[in-house]
Amino acid sequence: MRKTLSSFTSGFAGLLHSQSSQDALGDRQEAIRTAMLASLADIESSQPHAFSMTLATITRAADVQSLWEARSELLRMIADRDGELAARRTLDGITEMFRGLVPHNLLPNRRRVAR
């Protein structure tokens, strides 16, 4: 009986922990989405179709992987407005938000030389 009760409680605790980690993941995902959308806020693109597609891609992204893949479109839109260096600086902050959510080999090394 004790083994069954112990197994039940540890399973239940694992379920609660899993739910809280899912909530935390969802919160981080929404924070990333918000940052990405905020960086698009002032852009009036010379390519309205590309802008609306980028906006839709970020808004409809179902998971962190989809948001990660949308970074290149975001970089292009910001670079069109502000230049590549400014776009990379903006994206550096957003990229750091992905730390721990995507494989570490996809992220830049923290010790890289500043440009």
Side-chain angles (χ1 to χ4, degrees):
M1 176 75 175
R2 281 188 179 163
K3 186 174 182 175
T4 304
L5 184 58
S6 174
S7 177
F8 172 75
T9 55
S10 64
F12 187 67
L15 183 62
L16 288 176
H17 178 69
S18 174
Q19 183 62 36
S20 65
S21 64
Q22 287 290 341
D23 292 343
L25 175 64
D27 291 345
R28 286 184 67 188
Q29 181 176 328
E30 287 310 309
I32 293 168
R33 184 188 323 273
T34 301
M36 292 175 89
L37 292 173
S39 66
L40 282 176
D42 298 334
I43 295 178
E44 291 181 22
S45 177
S46 59
Q47 303 169 5
H49 179 69
F51 176 78
S52 61
M53 291 296 292
T54 302
L55 189 64
T57 299
I58 294 169
T59 304
R60 294 181 184 156
D63 56 11
V64 172
Q65 182 67 32
S66 301
L67 287 171
W68 177 258
E69 293 168 359
R71 288 170 52 258
S72 61
E73 294 176 42
L74 180 62
L75 177 68
R76 188 182 77 237
M77 297 305 299
I78 298 170
D80 284 349
R81 179 189 68 189
D82 299 332
E84 187 175 347
L85 185 59
R88 290 198 180 277
R89 285 184 182 144
T90 299
L91 227 54
D92 283 346
I94 293 171
T95 299
E96 280 302 310
M97 296 174 79
F98 284 94
R99 197 164 294 280
L101 299 175
V102 297
H104 67 84
N105 61 342
L106 294 177
L107 294 166
N109 187 348
R110 287 185 179 176
R111 291 181 277 158
R112 74 177 185 195
V113 177
R115 298 178 205 181

